[in-house]
Amino acid sequence: MRKYLFTQQFEKSFAELPEDIVQLFEKKLQLFLKDIFYPSFRTKKMEGFKNPSIWEASLTMNYRFTFEIDKEGKIIFRNIGTHAILDRKKV
């Protein structure tokens, strides 16, 4: 199973989520760590990010999370929230 960590931004956004979404993320986390390309996550690379490569995955049809994978294969969860989190300025 992959190692992972949460950024401060992720932790801040996570704390603001509805309780049912928090529980869903906690339930699906282990599955995601085993297989980031499991079909229900609809994982894909975000356009416009070159270094590092940023990925997005779906928790529900309305909630997404973003992450990157470091050189050692560790997943760094960057943000979580409604689809609007994907509209942030790309760097």
Side-chain angles (χ1 to χ4, degrees):
M1 182 139 8
R2 292 180 187 248
K3 293 182 180 181
Y4 66 95
L5 63 87
F6 301 126
T7 62
Q8 287 181 339
Q9 177 60 53
F10 185 93
E11 289 176 345
K12 179 182 175 203
S13 297
F14 190 76
E16 297 171 358
L17 292 173
E19 185 59 32
D20 60 327
I21 299 301
V22 167
Q23 290 176 2
L24 183 62
F25 179 81
E26 291 172 345
K27 179 180 176 181
K28 289 189 168 185
L29 178 60
Q30 295 306 314
L31 175 60
F32 182 76
L33 295 173
K34 287 180 186 174
D35 182 1
I36 67 172
F37 294 106
Y38 190 81
S40 70
F41 293 116
R42 296 180 296 283
T43 303
K44 64 180 180 180
K45 236 180 212 187
M46 292 182 68
E47 295 180 16
F49 290 93
K50 296 182 194 258
N51 192 11
S53 293
I54 308 298
W55 297 76
E56 68 172 277
S58 298
L59 192 54
T60 69
M61 292 305 289
N62 295 319
Y63 284 87
R64 312 279 192 272
F65 56 92
T66 60
F67 65 97
E68 64 185 273
I69 303 169
D70 73 7
K71 295 174 191 172
E72 290 82 36
K74 183 182 349 175
I75 296 174
I76 302 167
F77 290 94
R78 297 173 52 99
N79 205 353
I80 187 168
T82 62
H83 200 276
I85 67 167
L86 305 178
D87 295 334
R88 295 187 183 233
K89 183 178 178 184
K90 296 176 173 127
V91 289

